[in-house]
Amino acid sequence: MADLLTCREAAQLLNIDLLNLVDILAVGDIVPTEPDGLAGSEVWARNEEIRLCETDIDLIKAELRRRQFADFKRDYVDVYQQDEKPGARGLEFGPGWLGVLTAYADGLRALNAKWNNSHAQLRWGKEKFGALHLYSDYLLATKIEVINLHREAYKSSLQTCQECGLPARLRFGHSICLTLCDRHKHTIGEPDPTRDGIILDLNAWMLEQRD
């Protein structure tokens, strides 16, 4: 690839949405070839100036694979079977929670062995209010052992950066909250001083307000 590509051209080459590509660059872990040193919060404002080389494209391909949890889906096919019903969901959260996800999946494997290969399976998961919510087979989800796995994944996610997996806390912007480390906290924008660093578990905080 001799010529540098615009974000739009790169998105077409990678067969992804332009916003998806810019969002990956805005995280700041992949710095485009041009403009020099552009990263983080500047990416959205100046994305039309960005030019990407072949090495950049290769890095983005690897990042897409990481964000799609491709290796996890291969290695945990016995305990992860994506829901195929109409409107089915997938693994809709940041790649930094891979360790939390694999701990949950290892827990399901252990339960399958305990329950004589009952095949408890994870179906889908999402990020909500900066925390990880996982959904397994609906009958098995009523068992306390599976409930405890869900609780542990939820708790761990609120202490783990959803971008890179480093220790983190819930961060509040004015319109979004995400669990992020210091290096990735810029992705929420300007912090909301009335909530950032004060509310560390939004679900728990909302329950407290009802009492």
Side-chain angles (χ1 to χ4, degrees):
M1 186 183 301
D3 299 326
L4 296 178
L5 300 178
T6 65
C7 283
R8 189 172 301 278
E9 291 169 337
Q12 292 174 345
L13 178 66
L14 294 163
N15 194 30
I16 61 174
D17 186 88
L18 173 61
L19 295 180
N20 189 7
L21 173 62
V22 177
D23 191 45
I24 289 173
L25 294 175
V27 169
D29 294 335
I30 300 173
V31 179
T33 297
E34 294 181 3
D36 184 46
L38 181 67
S41 58
E42 291 185 286
V43 167
W44 281 106
R46 301 177 59 189
N47 70 85
E48 292 185 359
E49 302 174 41
I50 290 174
R51 297 296 181 268
L52 301 164
C53 71
E54 184 174 4
T55 298
D56 299 329
I57 297 299
D58 289 341
L59 290 172
I60 294 168
K61 286 180 180 178
E63 180 63 10
L64 285 169
R65 181 177 177 83
R66 189 173 77 101
R67 289 176 176 271
Q68 293 162 358
F69 299 98
D71 293 339
F72 171 84
K73 292 174 181 177
R74 179 199 64 209
D75 296 340
Y76 286 86
V77 67
D78 56 317
V79 290
Y80 173 65
Q81 290 293 317
Q82 183 171 333
D83 189 7
E84 296 180 350
K85 298 175 183 177
R89 311 283 293 271
L91 300 177
E92 302 168 4
F93 46 86
W97 283 342
L98 175 61
V100 180
L101 177 64
T102 55
Y104 176 89
D106 287 338
L108 284 187
R109 274 182 173 167
L111 291 178
N112 281 338
K114 176 182 176 181
W115 296 334
N116 297 317
N117 295 313
S118 63
H119 297 295
Q121 291 180 326
L122 170 66
R123 293 298 184 180
W124 66 285
K126 68 178 181 179
E127 177 271 329
K128 183 178 181 181
F129 299 144
L132 177 59
H133 298 259
L134 296 172
Y135 299 86
S136 56
D137 296 306
Y138 74 97
L139 289 176
L140 291 168
T142 63
K143 290 183 174 289
I144 188 61
E145 294 94 336
V146 177
I147 291 173
N148 286 338
L149 287 178
H150 289 180
R151 289 172 174 167
E152 184 58 34
Y154 176 91
K155 178 181 176 181
S156 295
S157 69
L158 284 169
Q159 301 170 14
T160 306
C161 179
Q162 56 198 79
E163 287 296 337
C164 69
L166 289 175
R169 68 165 174 84
L170 187 63
R171 312 267 181 174
F172 268 92
H174 290 278
S175 61
I176 191 172
C177 62
L178 299 170
T179 299
L180 301 164
C181 65
D182 286 343
R183 184 160 64 92
H184 292 111
K185 65 183 180 181
H186 67 272
T187 59
I188 63 162
E190 188 67 25
D192 179 353
T194 65
R195 297 180 294 175
D196 187 56
I198 299 169
I199 302 173
L200 301 179
D201 181 336
L202 185 56
N203 281 336
W205 179 84
M206 289 191 295
L207 287 174
E208 290 175 358
Q209 303 312 300
R210 296 175 187 171
D211 295 338

